[in-house]
């Protein structure tokens, strides 16, 4: 159990800094794991790489901004930035897979989950590019919300400033 002072320090660290440090650590772990020598050790390390990346994405998926914004503009802005960051995570992992030894990585991904889960698709860079594209679409939706809010605010300001 931590003291109250530790909790105050932990909560004062901006989320974007935590995300950046986590991104750097996961990139290094994944890059190192993909350079494993061939054989059984390579399959094990590649499986660990997939596991590390999946945990990284699952951890940060719901975190757009802490504490949550209180207004619609703040929520849309936080979602826009977060969707861009999540897309970036998927893109660099896809590029890492493209640069690695495809057969060994495919075997590790297939071994990383049960056959019932159908996890062989996790070895395909296209899977991660698709996830990045989904993040880009989500980011676009947030941008549309932001532009709609800006247009509504501009319209309200113009209506309020017009002479009667």
């Amino acid at each position: 159990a931590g003291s109250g002072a530790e909790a105050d320090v932990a909560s004062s660290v901006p989320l974007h800094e935590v995300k950046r440090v986590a991104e750097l650590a996961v990139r290094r772990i994944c890059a190192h794991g993909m350079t494993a020598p061939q054989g059984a050790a390579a399959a094990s390390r590649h499986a660990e790489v997939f596991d590390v990346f999946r945990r990284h994405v699952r951890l940060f998926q719901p975190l757009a901004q802490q504490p949550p914004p209180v207004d619609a503009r703040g929520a849309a802005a936080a979602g826009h930035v977060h969707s861009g960051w999540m897309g970036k995570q998927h893109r660099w992992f896809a590029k890492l897979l493209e640069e690695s030894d495809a057969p060994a990585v495919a075997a590790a991904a297939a071994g990383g989950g049960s056959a019932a889960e159908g996890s062989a698709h996790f070895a395909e860079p296209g899977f991660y590019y698709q996830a990045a594209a989904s993040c880009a679409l989500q980011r676009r939706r947030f941008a549309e919300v932001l532009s709609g809010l800006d247009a509504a605010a501009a319209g309200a300001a113009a209506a309020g400033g017009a002479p009667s």
Side-chain angles (χ1 to χ4, degrees):
S3 69
E6 289 174 358
D8 290 340
V9 170
S11 65
S12 68
V13 177
L15 182 60
H16 68 86
E17 290 180 17
V18 173
K19 288 163 68 173
R20 181 65 180 149
V21 170
E23 176 184 354
L24 291 172
V26 168
R27 279 185 185 220
R28 289 205 175 182
I29 290 168
C30 291
H32 182 70
M34 287 295 189
T35 61
Q38 296 300 317
S44 174
R45 287 183 67 185
H46 289 158
E48 289 174 13
V49 166
F50 283 99
D51 186 51
V52 165
F53 182 74
R54 283 185 207 128
R55 282 187 281 142
H56 171 67
V57 169
R58 280 188 206 134
L59 175 65
F60 287 101
Q61 185 71 38
L63 300 176
Q65 184 176 350
Q66 296 301 98
V70 293
D71 63 341
R73 180 163 181 62
H80 182 263
V81 171
H82 184 67
S83 296
W85 185 82
M86 289 299 294
K88 180 180 170 186
Q89 304 309 297
H90 290 289
R91 275 190 310 277
W92 70 254
F93 194 70
K95 287 179 183 178
L96 179 69
L97 290 179
E98 284 181 331
E99 296 166 358
S100 64
D101 180 24
V105 173
S114 70
E117 291 178 277
S119 60
H121 66 280
F122 289 126
E124 296 297 326
F127 175 80
Y128 298 97
Y129 283 126
Q130 175 68 37
S134 296
C135 292
L137 289 173
Q138 182 65 30
R139 187 172 191 198
R140 175 188 239 174
R141 285 190 283 276
F142 282 121
E144 290 169 352
V145 169
L146 282 171
S147 66
L149 290 172
D150 288 345
S164 301

